[in-house]
Amino acid sequence: MLTGRRRVETRGLPFVGFACVMAIWLLAPLLLADRVAQDAVPFVVAGELVSSDPGAVYATDATDLYDLPPAFAERSCELTPPDRRCSDVNVAFLSPPQTLPFLDALARLGSGELGILVMRLLGAGALVAGMVVLWRRLAHRTRRAPVLLLVTALVLTPFATVPVALGQTSPLLFLSAAMGVGIAERARGRAAFVLVWCATIVTKLVPAAMGVVLVAQRRWRTLAWAAGVLVVLTALTAVLYPVDLFGQFVEATRRTTELTISHHFNRAADGLLRRWWPGFGSAPWPMLLLGLRLAVVAVLGWVGMRRATDDEQWAFAWLALLFISPLLWGHYLWVVPGALGLALASRPQLDDRMLALLPGFSLAVSAFATPNVFQGPLPWLQLVTLVAALVVVALLPRSDPVASAVARTHTRPQNENVL
C-alpha cells in the first residue's frame, strides 16, 4: 500500500543507465542538427512574419498541407537543408494565434537556426521531464521497476529522435499525460500542470477538450487558473497583432483539416479507411464511424472509470481523445507510454508483471511509429496499439475496484512529490 511520503529510487546501475539515456535525449537536438526540422520551421517562420507580414502567417487559401503563402514558403525554404526539396517538406503553420507572442520573442533571438534549436530543446526537455515523472512515480514500486523503466527508456530512444529532429510539440502531450491531474492538489504542482496543459492547447488546440475531465472532477481552481492563462495570452495576442489573425486561423484550420484527414501519414481510423476505401469519405460513413468511436469510449468509460482515481481518468481521457480525433499522426502515440505509466502508478498495488506492460507498449509504439512509412501494416498497427492501450487503461482499475476506491483517499500524498 502507498504511504504518505515516497522515496525516489536513485541507487544502482538501472538508475545510472536511465540517467545516461536521458542525457542522450537532451543532447539529441545537437546530434540531429543536420536533419530537416519540418515542424519547427513553421513555428520559427510564423514568429518572424507575424510582425512584418501577419497576412502571410496562415495559409487561408491552401489546397494542401504544403501550399504556403509566398513569403512563408520563401523563408521556410531558407531554413531547409539544401539537399531537401522545399515543396516536399515545408508545411503550414496551424497553431492558434495565442502561440504567436512566444514565437515572436523566439524570432527576436536573431537567427532562424537558433529558433529551431530552441524548439528541439523544448521537445527533448518535455520528453525527459515526462520520463523523470514516470521514474519518480514507479521506480520504487516493485523490485524490478528500475530495470523495467530503464528498458522503457531504451526502447523509446529511437522514437524520441522523431519529435526532437522534426522540432515537434507532441512531447508536450506525453508530459501532460505522464504528469496527471493529481499534482494539481498543491500550488506548485498546479502551476506545472496548468503551464503544460495550456502549452498543449495553444500549440494544438484539441487538448482543450481535456477540460471536460477537470469539470467532471470539479477542479474549479485549476480550471480558473488555466482559463486565466489563456485569457491573458488571447488579450496579449489581440493587442500585439491584427485581430483578424483569429479569423485566419479558423479558416486555415477548416481548409486544412479536411485535406489532412486523407493524408497518408494520418493514422486515425478515418484516414486509414478513406485510403483503403475511397468512398468512405462520403456521408453517412464518417458520422457513423464517429458515433462508433464515441460508443466504444462511453462503454469503456462506464465499465472501467466509475471507480477510477482522478489520474486514471486523466490517462484514459488522453487516449480516448486521440481515438476520437479524426487526425492521428504517428508521433502522437507518445501519449501511450505517458498515459499507461500514469495509470499504472495510480494503482495502490503493483507487481512486476503488470508494470511490464509499460516497456511492452513502449516497444510496440517505437517499433510501429518510428519508421517513416505510409503503406503496409504499420499504420494499422499504430492505431491498434492506441486502441489496445485505451482498453488496458480502462480495465486496469476494474481489476481491483476495492483497492482503487481506497487509492482515491491517497491521491494528495501520492502526488505531492512527483515534481
Side-chain angles (χ1 to χ4, degrees):
M1 188 66 63
L2 293 174
T3 58
R5 303 293 294 181
R6 65 169 60 195
R7 63 183 177 86
V8 179
E9 185 60 60
T10 58
R11 299 173 299 173
L13 290 177
F15 174 75
V16 174
F18 180 83
C20 290
V21 175
M22 294 301 98
I24 293 173
W25 288 18
L26 288 175
L27 288 173
L30 300 176
L31 300 175
L32 302 171
D34 60 334
R35 303 287 184 89
V36 59
Q38 185 178 36
D39 292 84
V41 167
F43 280 94
V44 172
V45 174
E48 292 178 349
L49 293 179
V50 67
S51 296
S52 60
D53 190 3
V57 170
Y58 289 108
T60 54
D61 299 321
T63 56
D64 60 52
L65 192 59
Y66 306 94
D67 186 8
L68 311 177
F72 200 101
E74 180 181 359
R75 179 55 179 151
S76 297
C77 195
E78 293 172 356
L79 295 174
T80 302
D83 61 332
R84 300 301 297 269
R85 185 178 178 183
C86 300
S87 59
D88 291 340
V89 296
N90 291 328
V91 295
F93 176 70
L94 294 174
S95 292
Q98 288 87 340
T99 317
L100 293 171
F102 166 75
L103 299 179
D104 192 359
L106 187 65
R108 297 181 189 278
L109 294 176
S111 169
E113 289 75 13
L114 184 56
I116 290 174
L117 177 60
V118 170
M119 293 296 298
R120 283 172 163 162
L121 287 171
L122 289 174
L127 292 180
V128 170
M131 289 300 298
V132 169
V133 167
L134 293 182
W135 179 276
R136 292 175 66 90
R137 287 181 179 274
L138 291 167
H140 65 287
R141 295 292 303 277
T142 73
R143 180 182 177 184
R144 294 184 176 84
V147 174
L148 292 172
L149 286 165
L150 171 59
V151 172
T152 298
L154 287 171
V155 299
L156 283 173
T157 296
F159 193 36
T161 64
V162 175
V164 173
L166 296 178
Q168 293 166 337
T169 57
S170 50
L172 292 170
L173 310 183
F174 168 67
L175 178 55
S176 180
M179 286 173 63
V181 71
I183 66 168
E185 295 287 344
R186 289 179 172 268
R188 184 178 65 175
R190 186 182 307 118
F193 173 85
V194 168
L195 177 63
V196 173
W197 183 42
C198 287
T200 68
I201 293 173
V202 300
T203 53
K204 297 191 177 299
L205 186 60
V206 173
M210 294 294 292
V212 173
V213 179
L214 301 182
V215 171
Q217 296 176 358
R218 299 181 179 180
R219 293 183 177 272
W220 309 122
R221 183 176 298 180
T222 303
L223 277 169
W225 276 103
V229 170
L230 295 175
V231 167
V232 169
L233 285 175
T234 302
L236 183 63
T237 304
V239 169
L240 294 177
Y241 314 115
V243 177
D244 61 359
L245 279 172
F246 292 93
Q248 293 176 25
F249 164 70
V250 172
E251 176 60 22
T253 301
R254 184 190 67 80
R255 293 181 66 89
T256 307
T257 298
E258 183 59 30
L259 294 169
T260 52
I261 288 179
S262 300
H263 195 276
H264 51 254
F265 283 128
N266 181 18
R267 299 342 189 182
D270 302 71
L272 293 174
L273 287 173
R274 287 193 188 197
R275 293 194 295 277
W276 177 65
W277 175 28
F280 179 81
S282 304
W285 302 113
M287 292 304 298
L288 289 176
L289 180 60
L290 175 60
L292 176 62
R293 295 202 301 269
L294 289 172
V296 169
V297 168
V299 170
L300 289 174
W302 176 257
V303 170
M305 290 294 109
R306 288 178 296 165
R307 297 184 179 91
T309 63
D310 289 354
D311 275 343
E312 286 169 326
Q313 293 173 359
W314 184 255
F316 176 81
W318 262 118
L319 295 169
L321 181 62
L322 293 190
F323 178 59
I324 294 171
S325 173
L327 297 177
L328 175 65
W329 307 118
H331 50 89
Y332 287 5
L333 291 184
W334 267 104
V335 169
V336 169
L340 181 59
L342 175 65
L344 290 170
S346 300
R347 291 185 60 82
Q349 295 177 339
L350 189 64
D351 56 38
D352 288 321
R353 184 172 58 181
M354 187 172 296
L355 185 55
L357 287 170
L358 182 58
F361 268 92
S362 297
L363 177 60
V365 166
S366 190
F368 300 152
T370 301
N372 190 26
V373 299
F374 54 88
Q375 293 180 340
L378 287 186
W380 291 91
L381 288 174
Q382 292 179 31
L383 177 61
V384 169
T385 301
L386 173 63
V387 174
L390 179 67
V391 173
V392 168
V393 168
L395 297 184
L396 275 175
R398 190 186 179 208
S399 63
D400 195 2
V402 175
S404 293
V406 173
R408 188 186 300 274
T409 64
H410 291 271
T411 299
R412 181 170 300 187
Q414 176 182 339
N415 291 285
E416 66 179 9
N417 295 321
V418 169
L419 295 178

